[in-house]
Amino acid sequence: MARLTYLAVLAGCLLGTLPLEVWLRTRVYARTRRWLLAIAPTFALFVLWDLYAIARGHWSYDPRQTSGIVVPGGIPLEEVLFFVVVPTCAILAFEAVRAVKGWPAGDEEPE
C-alpha cells in the first residue's frame, strides 16, 4: 500500500481542487493552451533538475514508496506527475480567488 501513497496524495490534490473548477467555474481545464503555457516552463525546469540530480547522485527515490514505474532518466512516474499536479492545483486556487474577489489577471480581452 505504501507504494501508492505518492499517487494517492496527487489524486487527493486534484480531487480537492476539482470543486473550484466546477462550483466557481475557474475554467482552468477548459483553457488547455493557457494551462500548458503556465505549467510547461516549470515542468521542463524541474524535470531537468531531477534528471541532473539523479545522474549526479544528489538524490534518489525509495522504490518502496513509489509505484515502481520509472521514466527514462530514473525519475519515478509520481515525481513527473507532481510537476503537473501541483502547478495545476496552484492555478486552480489562484483562479478561484480571482473568481471570488473579481480580480483581473491582466490577460482579459479588452471590452
Side-chain angles (χ1 to χ4, degrees):
M1 192 55 132
R3 295 180 66 106
L4 299 177
T5 302
Y6 200 165
L7 285 174
V9 168
L10 294 175
C13 291
L14 287 176
L15 289 172
T17 56
L18 184 60
L20 301 175
E21 181 78 358
V22 175
W23 293 330
L24 296 177
R25 294 185 219 81
T26 57
R27 300 191 62 243
V28 171
Y29 296 126
R31 298 179 284 188
T32 307
R33 183 177 182 274
R34 183 179 185 189
W35 171 78
L36 283 171
L37 288 171
I39 69 163
T42 304
F43 178 84
L45 176 68
F46 283 106
V47 167
L48 289 173
W49 184 0
D50 263 17
L51 287 170
Y52 174 78
I54 290 168
R56 299 290 303 230
H58 293 254
W59 69 64
S60 62
Y61 299 92
D62 183 354
R64 295 171 300 173
Q65 303 298 315
T66 60
S67 66
I69 301 170
V70 178
V71 300
I75 304 174
L77 174 64
E78 294 89 342
E79 186 71 0
V80 174
L81 292 174
F82 177 88
F83 299 135
V84 174
V85 170
V86 171
T88 299
C89 292
I91 293 167
L92 279 160
F94 170 75
E95 291 295 340
V97 171
R98 271 188 1 110
V100 170
K101 295 287 190 177
W103 293 342
D107 65 346
E108 292 80 15
E109 294 291 325
E111 293 181 24

